[in-house]
Amino acid sequence: MIKHIVMFKLNPEAEPSVVKKTFQDLSKLPEKVAVIREYEIGEDVLRSPRSWDVVLLSTFNDLDALQEYARHDDHVEVALRLQGLCEKIAVVDYEI
C-alpha cells in the first residue's frame, strides 16, 4: 500500500472563503475517486512559525491507484486551485 501525505502552507493573502470551499471540495474526493482507501484532512492547531497550515493523509492500494487519483479530473481541478492558494506544497509518498 502507498501512503500519500501532502502539506499545505497557505498564502497569507488567500481569501478565507475560497480556502474553505477548496478544502471542502478536497474532502469530498473520496466520494468521487474510488481508488482512495483512506482519506483524512487536518488543520494545524499550534500555528507555530514552523507549522504548515493543513495536511492531507491518504492511502492507496498501490502506485497505479495513486496515479489514477492524481490524474482524476476532480482531483486535478482541486489541485490546481490549491496551487493558486498556497505559497508551498510538500508531498511524501511511501510504501507501507
Side-chain angles (χ1 to χ4, degrees), residues 35-48:
V35 295
I36 298 171
R37 287 184 55 115
E38 296 175 2
Y39 206 74
E40 180 180 349
I41 298 172
E43 187 175 339
D44 179 62
V45 295
L46 293 180
R47 310 250 190 264
S48 75

Side-chain angles (χ1 to χ4, degrees), residues 7 9 13 46-47 50-51 65 77 84 87-88:
M7 296 188 308
K9 184 70 135 179
E13 301 83 27
L46 293 180
R47 310 250 190 264
R50 68 182 208 152
S51 294
E77 189 271 326
E87 62 182 46
K88 295 182 194 175

Side-chain angles (χ1 to χ4, degrees), residues 10-79:
L10 296 168
N11 283 322
E13 301 83 27
E15 178 65 40
S17 63
V18 175
V19 170
K20 181 178 178 178
K21 170 75 168 113
T22 301
F23 280 102
Q24 286 173 340
D25 292 345
L26 184 68
S27 70
K28 293 176 185 175
L29 288 180
E31 302 166 12
K32 301 174 180 184
V33 186
V35 295
I36 298 171
R37 287 184 55 115
E38 296 175 2
Y39 206 74
E40 180 180 349
I41 298 172
E43 187 175 339
D44 179 62
V45 295
L46 293 180
R47 310 250 190 264
S48 75
R50 68 182 208 152
S51 294
W52 288 64
D53 298 304
V54 180
V55 66
L56 165 68
L57 307 169
S58 53
T59 306
F60 300 87
N61 283 341
D62 52 33
L63 286 172
D64 289 338
L66 175 58
Q67 290 172 355
E68 183 177 335
Y69 164 76
R71 291 187 306 262
H72 193 281
D73 289 343
D74 291 303
H75 171 263
V76 170
E77 189 271 326
V78 174

